[in-house]
Amino acid sequence: MKKYILPSLKLTLVFIIICSVLYPLLIAATAKLSPGGGKGETVSVNGKVVGYKNIGQKFTDDKYFQGRPSAVDYNAAGSAGSNKAPSNPDYLKQVEERIDSFLVHNPTVKRNEIPADLVTASGSGLDPDITPQAAYVQVARIAKARNIPEEKIRALVDTSVKRPVLGMEKVNVLAINIQLDQLK
Amino acid sequence: MNTELTGIILTFVLTVLLAFPLGKYMAKMFAGERTITDFMNPVERFIYRIAGIDANKPMNWKQFLMAMLSINCLWIFYAFFLFLNQSHLPLNPDGNPDMSPDLSFNTAISFVVNCNLQHYSGESGVTYFTQLFVITFLQFVSAATGIACAVALFNGLKHKTTENLGNFWSIFTRAITRVLLPISIVIAIVLAFNGTPASFDGKDTITTLQGDTVNVSRGPAAGMIAIKHLGTNGGGWFGTNSAHPFENPGYFTGMLELAAQMLIPIALLFALGFYIKRKKFAWMIFGIMTIGILILAVPTINWEMSGSPALHKMGILQSNGAMEGKEVRFGAAFSGFWSIMTTVISTGSVNAMHDSTMPMSGAMQMLAMLINAFYGGCGVGLLNYYIYIIIAVFIGGLMVGRTPEFFGHKVEAREVKIAALVTLLSAFIIKGGTALAAYYFTSHGHADWAVKPEAWLNNPGSHGFSEMFYEFTSANANNGSGFEGLGDNNIFWNLTTGLAMIFGRFLPIIGPVAIAGLLAKKKYVPETAGTLKTDSLTFGVLTFAIIIIITALSYFPPLVLGPIAEWLG
């Protein structure tokens, strides 16, 4: 037995130093060169940090583009999805309520124009993005709330949609709202 | 057609193209031939000297398993003790508390066995110290354990007659120094440059554009996320794993993380072919496994892209598919594909919440874990497939009326008994565990546990049953993903799944390594015209059929009670 225990013990110590000390330190040191320095990339307005580029935040005001429903109310201290099953009757009622509420706030929008991502919770509860449809469908409401012509806001969405070579078309909600505040 | 499917196909093709040279390299490296990583020789000699290891000493299958089990045993105690006392240790900027004894027990086992089932949330349940000194450490060494045991199998298959399966310490060490560590460093740096945090700063507090005050959890996550995928571990730094925008910031990192988890399991298949000089055999296994994966993945992608029927009835726009529990940057198709790859490969990292996927997608994820041998986990996937091969050889032998042989060794009662035991035990653990959970849920709903049984389930009806069945399936398959609605941090789930994970890990390792050792010891019987050709298409199809039959016979009833009943409505 001793034949196996002693090498086990010593080998464990060696690999703790390699994998738990040297390896993370190397990565942390290298990450200092990255945008954000390995602390997460922040976004500032007039020199004041208003959020993290990748972390979604809550927008409830009619004059902002709103993100997706969140199971953690966009508090990134934690993260969670709703974990509701597609067959769960309570969940379906909740989605129905979100649709109704959206229609109340956006009276010019028809039901079949509401994209699913606006009424379903994201996986992390911190999704920073919405689909382009979800941005366009909010244009009329925001135009009215801000008293800015619809075309101007639509043009802002046009320029905010990211169309990567691979992957999904998306709009970063925080980024577009910062630009929205700067629109005259 | 958009770029969704292109991304999936590209990820797969690129991974296979990378896995091929990696497999060739691993075969050479583990055979002790000259490779480009020979500059590590002095480092390894230094490690062997400190640890007092004679790296050239041959080991028979019993010695090999003794070494493997001793060091794994030690890790369980080490991890248990640290989780239990983590609040008193350094590197705890967020002031997170100790784990309860039952949660420590579960979590310690979970990471030692490469399962990474998490009954805690990364942001609040562990400290930076335990994330690095326990979890990251175990993610390296548990993957290396799996690779070492696969190489033991290679050694058993390579030689006509041998007792020597290789030296566990040496294979284990080289798996880290020459495979896992260098590739992890590359992946971690790419992740860090794409937005994943890597510094030791604690939670940040910010005021949002709208004026709310929120916290943002961070930490030295990039390194852990790299090895969690490369080592097919799957346990996330953050609670929502690779759905979290820090853990997986974009589509590109999504492709990278997906490729990282597929890389070593596929490379090991090619390594097998090079190592034992039977490339056709390896290609045949690769082909069968890939077909198996396509059968699971294609319908899943289709179900997720089609969207939820219930939401269609509400009359809203679902052109982007089923979005509940998914992130916009990944989309439905990629998330559906990921959910199958992470379950066949026993990684268990998720980029979307499996609990909210369509009922039959859930069934496919469960099937992927129940089979657990299409590519499979780091090293252990091949060992699981080997068990199916032994059973196929046995049944094939009976069909043609000859003593079954595999690579020139007679497969006799003892080996077949071990193989059958390993297969049947999984069915016993999964179904027995689920039955026990269902019993407590229905008959002892008020039991005074941290989460009362009546409050376990996040969804009613068949889907609630699926949540319990999935948990045991995932624990036994050492997968670690979950239908996370389940209230699992209480003594019942912590103890039962803890035990399921131990048995689900070590028996399917001990069994195949023992069979490989027993077979390799036997006298070599040269192949004749009547020998069952194990690298033929016929034999591949036979193995595939055996897998389907065993899985269907064992698990059809619970699948009907859970996802199929939910699907039929």
Side-chain angles (χ1 to χ4, degrees):
Chain A
M1 210 48 216
K2 204 179 126 207
K3 200 167 69 179
Y4 299 107
I5 291 295
L6 267 179
S8 297
L9 209 61
K10 292 179 192 164
L11 207 54
T12 298
L13 283 174
V14 171
F15 278 114
I16 285 174
I17 291 168
I18 295 176
C19 304
S20 306
V21 181
L22 300 179
Y23 170 64
L25 285 178
L26 171 72
I27 305 302
T30 317
K32 281 207 191 305
L33 306 171
S34 72
K39 299 176 182 186
E41 220 175 317
T42 53
V43 181
S44 301
V45 177
N46 303 328
K48 191 174 150 273
V49 173
V50 292
Y52 282 82
K53 192 178 145 208
N54 287 329
I55 303 288
Q57 43 183 262
K58 187 166 72 168
F59 290 99
T60 44
D61 203 315
D62 272 354
K63 66 179 192 192
Y64 279 124
F65 284 96
Q66 292 166 5
R68 307 184 55 195
S70 159
V72 290
D73 207 24
Y74 284 106
N75 187 351
S79 59
S82 73
N83 287 309
K84 295 293 185 195
S87 61
N88 186 333
D90 292 337
Y91 158 69
L92 294 174
K93 213 186 291 165
Q94 197 183 8
V95 174
E96 194 68 64
E97 282 164 13
R98 287 178 190 147
I99 296 172
D100 292 341
S101 156
F102 188 85
L103 289 171
V104 170
H105 286 268
N106 300 269
T108 58
V109 170
K110 286 198 276 304
R111 204 169 236 273
N112 61 10
E113 291 167 348
I114 305 176
D117 57 306
L118 275 185
V119 291
T120 52
S122 60
S124 62
L126 306 170
D127 196 339
D129 306 308
I130 50 176
T131 57
Q133 296 100 311
Y136 284 116
V137 80
Q138 301 186 53
V139 165
R141 182 195 76 225
I142 294 165
K144 193 161 169 252
R146 290 189 175 248
N147 214 358
I148 296 177
E150 271 187 41
E151 302 79 71
K152 262 191 145 174
I153 297 181
R154 198 173 302 277
L156 175 63
V157 179
D158 288 341
T159 56
S160 298
V161 175
K162 289 204 194 84
R163 294 193 175 78
V165 185
L166 282 175
M168 309 302 296
E169 296 186 350
K170 58 187 184 177
V171 178
N172 184 298
V173 181
L174 177 60
I176 195 173
N177 280 333
I178 289 173
Q179 285 185 288
L180 194 56
D181 274 346
Q182 286 156 358
L183 272 189
K184 286 287 167 330
Chain B
M1 198 65 243
N2 51 28
T3 59
E4 286 193 75
L5 295 181
T6 325
I8 295 171
I9 294 164
L10 199 67
T11 310
F12 182 81
V13 172
L14 286 178
T15 309
V16 175
L17 289 180
L18 283 172
F20 190 79
L22 179 66
K24 197 170 179 179
Y25 156 76
M26 281 165 81
K28 276 179 147 181
M29 187 268 287
F30 284 121
E33 291 167 34
R34 287 164 65 109
T35 58
I36 48 162
T37 51
D38 282 350
F39 64 90
M40 291 300 286
N41 271 331
V43 179
E44 284 147 7
R45 275 200 300 270
F46 182 65
I47 293 174
Y48 299 145
R49 212 172 62 222
I50 299 180
I53 289 164
D54 177 4
N56 295 318
K57 195 170 162 261
M59 288 183 171
N60 65 29
W61 68 270
K62 284 181 187 160
Q63 294 164 326
F64 192 95
L65 287 175
M66 274 303 289
M68 186 276 285
L69 291 171
S70 314
I71 198 164
N72 272 266
C73 226
L74 180 74
W75 295 333
I76 293 184
F77 286 107
Y78 165 75
F80 177 74
F81 180 75
L82 260 65
F83 285 132
L84 209 55
N85 298 291
Q86 60 183 6
S87 75
H88 309 291
L89 296 167
L91 291 181
N92 185 12
D94 300 339
N96 290 340
D98 292 333
M99 279 193 186
S100 66
D102 53 310
L103 182 58
S104 301
F105 170 79
N106 187 279
T107 312
I109 292 171
S110 175
F111 284 93
V112 170
V113 306
N114 200 270
C115 178
N116 296 208
L117 198 67
Q118 295 169 293
H119 289 175
Y120 64 91
S121 267
E123 294 95 338
S124 54
V126 280
T127 67
Y128 291 177
F129 189 86
T130 40
Q131 291 266 39
L132 296 175
F133 281 79
V134 182
I135 292 177
T136 306
F137 166 72
L138 290 176
Q139 287 178 329
F140 273 103
V141 295
S142 65
T145 300
I147 294 176
C149 293
V151 174
L153 171 68
F154 293 2
N155 281 328
L157 295 177
K158 184 177 190 171
H159 302 285
K160 283 188 174 167
T161 302
T162 183
E163 291 237 9
N164 179 14
L165 293 189
N167 184 289
F168 174 79
W169 310 122
S170 144
I171 305 171
F172 168 82
T173 301
R174 279 179 293 155
I176 298 180
T177 54
R178 297 187 184 212
V179 181
L180 296 171
L181 195 60
I183 305 177
S184 292
I185 291 173
V186 175
I187 297 171
I189 289 173
V190 175
L191 285 174
F193 275 83
N194 278 278
T196 300
S199 80
F200 286 79
D201 300 73
K203 268 197 189 81
D204 193 11
T205 306
I206 54 161
T207 307
T208 66
L209 191 62
Q210 195 183 264
D212 304 313
T213 304
V214 294
N215 296 316
V216 177
S217 289
R218 300 180 292 180
M224 183 260 211
I225 296 165
I227 182 62
K228 112 182 186 202
H229 284 110
L230 187 67
T232 70
N233 295 280
W237 183 275
F238 300 99
T240 46
N241 210 300
S242 282
H244 194 290
F246 270 162
E247 190 140 351
N248 199 354
Y251 195 86
F252 170 69
T253 58
M255 287 173 68
L256 176 70
E257 290 180 13
L258 191 54
Q261 56 183 300
M262 289 151 65
L263 186 63
I264 291 184
I266 299 179
L268 277 172
L269 294 178
F270 296 129
L272 169 72
F274 288 114
Y275 199 88
I276 65 172
K277 303 199 167 59
R278 286 176 190 259
K279 280 178 226 162
K280 195 181 162 205
F281 178 66
W283 277 111
M284 187 55 64
I285 298 180
F286 173 75
I288 296 292
M289 288 182 173
T290 306
I291 290 168
I293 283 173
L294 288 176
I295 292 175
L296 295 167
V298 172
T300 304
I301 294 169
N302 183 42
W303 277 309
E304 295 306 314
M305 285 179 86
S306 309
S308 157
L311 264 60
H312 274 305
K313 272 194 206 139
M314 294 180 191
I316 60 168
L317 181 67
Q318 265 198 111
S319 54
N320 289 304
M323 288 305 288
E324 182 71 40
K326 294 198 182 67
E327 301 279 301
V328 168
R329 62 190 179 283
F330 302 127
F334 186 73
S335 301
F337 181 61
W338 180 305
S339 80
I340 293 303
M341 294 319 291
T342 198
T343 42
V344 285
I345 291 180
S346 115
T347 314
S349 73
V350 298
N351 77 339
M353 297 299 113
H354 290 191
D355 216 349
S356 299
T357 49
M358 293 303 108
M360 288 310 284
S361 305
M364 293 293 163
Q365 294 152 11
M366 291 174 197
L367 272 174
M369 293 187 286
L370 294 167
I371 293 167
N372 208 18
F374 291 154
Y375 302 162
C378 234
V380 291
L382 248 176
L383 296 179
N384 287 335
Y385 196 83
Y386 179 65
I387 290 287
Y388 289 122
I389 288 182
I390 294 296
I391 295 175
V393 163
F394 174 66
I395 292 178
L398 290 183
M399 283 168 152
V400 296
R402 277 177 58 109
T403 313
E405 285 163 20
F406 184 55
F407 285 3
H409 298 114
K410 281 197 163 60
V411 177
E412 288 164 304
R414 195 166 166 199
E415 292 83 41
V416 177
K417 273 186 201 157
I418 298 174
L421 259 177
V422 170
T423 336
L424 294 177
L425 199 93
S426 287
F428 176 75
I429 292 174
I430 295 171
K431 290 191 290 188
T434 311
L436 193 65
Y439 167 73
Y440 273 101
F441 175 74
T442 49
S443 306
H444 296 278
H446 301 300
D448 188 21
W449 294 330
V451 185
K452 289 186 178 170
E454 59 186 1
W456 279 348
L457 306 181
N458 193 42
N459 293 286
S462 311
H463 195 89
F465 177 83
S466 296
E467 286 180 341
M468 298 189 283
F469 180 60
Y470 193 107
E471 186 73 4
F472 273 106
T473 304
S474 171
N476 176 71
N478 287 173
N479 184 272
S481 65
F483 273 10
E484 291 300 339
L486 184 73
D488 46 21
N489 185 10
N490 58 74
I491 193 154
F492 175 85
W493 288 102
N494 284 336
L495 287 185
T496 51
T497 55
L499 293 173
M501 286 188 283
I502 285 205
F503 288 116
R505 168 75 166 181
F506 291 111
L507 293 175
I509 286 183
I510 294 171
V513 173
I515 296 174
L518 289 169
L519 287 183
K521 235 172 23 181
K522 292 187 187 184
K523 200 164 81 69
Y524 184 77
V525 197
E527 288 189 10
T528 62
T531 308
L532 185 65
K533 292 261 184 302
T534 40
D535 56 4
S536 64
L537 182 63
T538 321
F539 184 74
V541 173
L542 178 65
T543 315
F544 189 75
I546 297 284
I547 292 174
I548 301 299
I549 292 167
I550 290 178
T551 311
L553 286 178
S554 305
Y555 303 110
F556 192 59
L559 287 170
V560 168
L561 289 174
I564 296 178
E566 187 190 0
W567 178 55
L568 295 173

